[in-house]
Amino acid sequence: MSTNIRLSGDVHPRLADGFERIRREIKLPEEFPKAVLAEAARVADDPAPAVRQDLTELPFVTIDPPGSMDLDQALFIEALGSGYRVWYAIADVGAFVRPGGALDAEARLRGETVYLPDGKVPLHPQVLSEGAASLLPGVTRPAAVWRIDLDAEGGLIGVDVQRSLVRSRERLDYDYVQAAVDTGTADGTLKLLAEVGRLRLGLERARGGVTLPTLEQEVVAGDGGYRLEYRAPVPSEAWNAQISLLTGMCAASMMLDAEIGVLRVLPPPQPSDLATVRRAALALGVPWPEGASYGDVVHDLDPKVPSNAAFLNESKILLRGSGYVAFDGEPPKLAEHSAVAAPYAHVTAPLRRLVDRYATEVCLAIAAGEPVPDDVQAALEDLPEIMSITGRRANAVERASIDLVEAFVLRDRIGQSFDAVVLDIDERRPGGLVQLTDPAVIARCDGSPLPLGQSVRVRLTQADPNTREVRFTVA
């Protein structure tokens, strides 16, 4: 169950060449055109004028992976009676990217920031994404600040969003936050984040929402080589994600009420797919009590357990088909994201995703009681297609990068045997998908029978960094 690959240490020249080949094959945008860089440099020092509330006295902090510089979100949580007030500052990219300009046109071509293990292809030039628009600590920045009031159970009781000025105090990472909570030293926002995060996770489960437990693949350099390891996210990542989900749900409700906007949607699972997943749970011994939802079943699963890993892989069919839908007038028939179990919109990552900037502009206008700007209305119709095309490109880069790293790490181990778990069985031909225990590799395995969800011994038959292909056979 991998979502990305993190690279720790220097990049081997052969890997660097492989990543560059991926960039060429998938035709990722190269350097920014001179006109785009010139506009970015100009607006970095001259953001669009706007009436802003001064919130620089609020002690916002950012929580991101170590080393991140493109900081979209800053957080401050305070007690509000028996409940909570969540202040969520989102980088105001609309203050810098002017509709119809070179920056806007380039952003529409790129769609989103694309990440590779050795770097990224950013949505915006660095002077903005890691500079003037980023919510870096110790500097005043324009932001769209959401004020979300919650009751003692974490339920929503009020929301607003306004253009503001903020000044983040610290740039924190997830491990730091988790350690502070675990050791009892967390206070203020960090202590309340744990409280609110747990409450929101409980509400997600109650409404039938799904957050899949995942393992990440991490490439660690050392001892003259590389090794692949699995990394399980810490709870603070889930708590932080719940704040983003909460904000996206507030944004979606706001846009639906105003009958204009752009939503992130996912249709309900097909009955046949749900039946398939139920059969997989039965075959793998994963408990599915009568009346329990899919979200209830996966909520506490440990992906390190072989049968759980296989079930989570099989159940991904229930989460396919997500996309965007724009509307100006009657809301769309499909307005809900089935994994969120509520209407949902992307508004919290405008430095890295095009659609968030436009959705934020819609919400700012609605909250202010003003018409949505004409240029924003005009752009809404094209956003679903833009995000679909650029999203497929980003997914292709991720898949190719994972394949390359796995082939590179295993290139000198042809013929060796490994312990693995069967994640999937190919019904059309002998073989399926296996997940190695060590190193952290998921690849095709030939031969039969392959017992779904059980441990097997497999032998490496192919690991070619040039073709990015890894194959095993039953040992």
Side-chain angles (χ1 to χ4, degrees):
M1 293 296 298
S2 60
T3 55
N4 57 59
I5 280 190
R6 299 185 181 194
L7 190 63
S8 173
D10 296 331
V11 181
H12 189 281
R14 191 168 181 184
L15 274 178
D17 290 343
F19 293 137
E20 185 57 37
R21 191 167 69 251
I22 291 171
R23 288 178 168 90
R24 292 195 305 269
E25 289 176 5
I26 301 180
K27 298 179 180 178
L28 290 179
E30 298 180 359
E31 297 297 322
F32 286 97
K34 291 182 179 179
V36 174
L37 293 174
E39 182 180 335
R42 185 172 64 254
V43 300
D45 297 322
D46 184 28
V51 177
R52 297 182 180 276
Q53 58 177 345
D54 188 343
L55 298 179
T56 54
E57 292 304 310
L58 297 184
F60 285 99
V61 297
T62 59
I63 307 173
D64 293 273
S68 297
M69 294 292 289
D70 48 350
L71 308 182
D72 288 288
Q73 311 112 7
L75 176 67
F76 169 55
I77 307 178
E78 59 184 333
L80 181 67
S82 61
Y84 308 88
R85 173 163 287 173
V86 176
W87 297 89
Y88 206 36
I90 306 301
D92 188 1
V93 179
F96 299 95
V97 181
R98 316 291 164 80
L103 266 173
D104 187 37
E106 184 69 15
R108 290 168 67 89
L109 287 174
R110 294 179 177 236
E112 62 181 276
T113 296
V114 178
Y115 293 91
L116 293 93
D118 69 335
K120 60 189 175 186
V121 180
L123 177 61
H124 304 103
Q126 189 175 25
V127 68
L128 294 180
S129 62
E130 299 185 5
S134 179
L135 302 182
L136 298 166
V139 290
T140 299
R141 290 287 188 256
V145 177
W146 292 83
R147 188 191 70 220
I148 304 173
D149 292 342
L150 305 175
D151 61 25
E153 287 73 43
L156 179 68
I157 57 177
V159 61
D160 189 24
V161 59
Q162 294 186 46
R163 279 198 153 94
S164 308
L165 293 174
V166 300
R167 190 178 183 89
S168 173
R169 300 300 194 268
E170 292 184 274
R171 182 177 61 180
L172 308 177
D173 61 54
Y174 298 114
D175 288 339
Y176 176 92
V177 174
Q178 192 63 51
V181 173
D182 290 345
T183 58
T185 59
D187 58 9
T189 291
L190 301 191
K191 181 176 183 293
L192 295 177
L193 173 62
E195 292 182 19
V196 173
R198 291 176 180 129
L199 288 171
R200 294 300 304 178
L201 282 167
L203 291 173
E204 176 184 79
R205 185 172 185 174
R207 68 175 185 268
V210 179
T211 298
L212 279 183
T214 60
L215 293 176
E216 293 181 348
Q217 289 168 293
E218 186 170 21
V219 190
V220 181
D223 299 327
Y226 293 84
R227 64 183 186 276
L228 273 166
E229 299 177 348
Y230 293 116
R231 174 190 175 272
V234 294
S236 63
E237 295 177 62
W239 304 333
N240 200 49
Q242 284 298 315
I243 302 301
S244 181
L245 283 169
L246 168 64
T247 307
M249 292 164 64
C250 290
S253 295
M254 191 178 289
M255 290 188 282
L256 286 168
D257 289 344
E259 297 189 344
I260 183 170
V262 56
L263 305 176
R264 181 68 166 167
V265 296
L266 176 66
Q270 294 293 321
S272 59
D273 290 339
L274 195 58
T276 298
V277 173
R278 282 185 173 275
R279 286 196 297 271
L282 181 63
L284 294 164
V286 173
W288 194 320
E290 185 69 28
S293 69
Y294 168 66
D296 289 330
V297 173
V298 303
H299 189 271
D300 294 320
L301 293 184
D302 183 353
K304 296 188 291 295
V305 175
S307 59
N308 292 356
F311 174 74
L312 290 168
N313 183 76
E314 291 291 300
S315 66
K316 286 188 293 185
I317 61 172
L318 302 183
L319 303 180
R320 293 174 183 166
S322 60
Y324 295 90
V325 59
F327 59 101
D328 186 356
E330 184 178 353
K333 291 181 180 179
L334 175 61
E336 187 167 293
H337 192 291
S338 64
V340 180
Y344 174 61
H346 276 158
V347 291
T348 63
L351 288 173
R352 293 169 284 164
R353 205 166 42 210
L354 174 70
V355 68
D356 298 50
R357 167 163 59 94
Y358 284 102
T360 296
E361 292 296 328
V362 172
C363 291
L364 285 166
I366 294 170
E370 300 172 352
V372 174
D374 291 342
D375 49 61
V376 175
Q377 289 190 50
L380 291 179
E381 183 179 0
D382 295 332
L383 287 176
E385 182 65 15
I386 291 173
M387 298 309 299
S388 175
I389 293 171
T390 57
R392 288 196 298 269
R393 184 171 63 197
N395 290 337
V397 169
E398 181 178 356
R399 287 193 299 271
S401 297
I402 290 172
D403 292 345
L404 169 63
V405 172
E406 291 180 337
F408 176 82
V409 170
L410 291 171
R411 69 195 186 283
D412 296 326
R413 303 183 68 177
I414 303 294
Q416 294 184 20
S417 295
F418 302 84
D419 291 323
V421 174
V422 180
L423 290 183
D424 191 23
I425 298 173
D426 194 334
E427 297 180 354
R428 297 166 297 178
R429 53 180 175 167
L433 194 68
V434 296
Q435 174 178 295
L436 269 61
T437 305
D438 181 28
V441 169
I442 300 173
R444 169 79 191 180
C445 181
D446 299 315
S448 62
L450 287 178
L452 183 65
Q454 296 186 29
S455 298
V456 293
R457 192 75 174 164
V458 298
R459 186 176 68 254
L460 180 64
T461 59
Q462 185 175 358
D464 187 346
N466 292 320
T467 62
R468 301 191 290 269
E469 188 170 9
V470 173
R471 293 183 82 92
F472 295 86
T473 189
V474 177

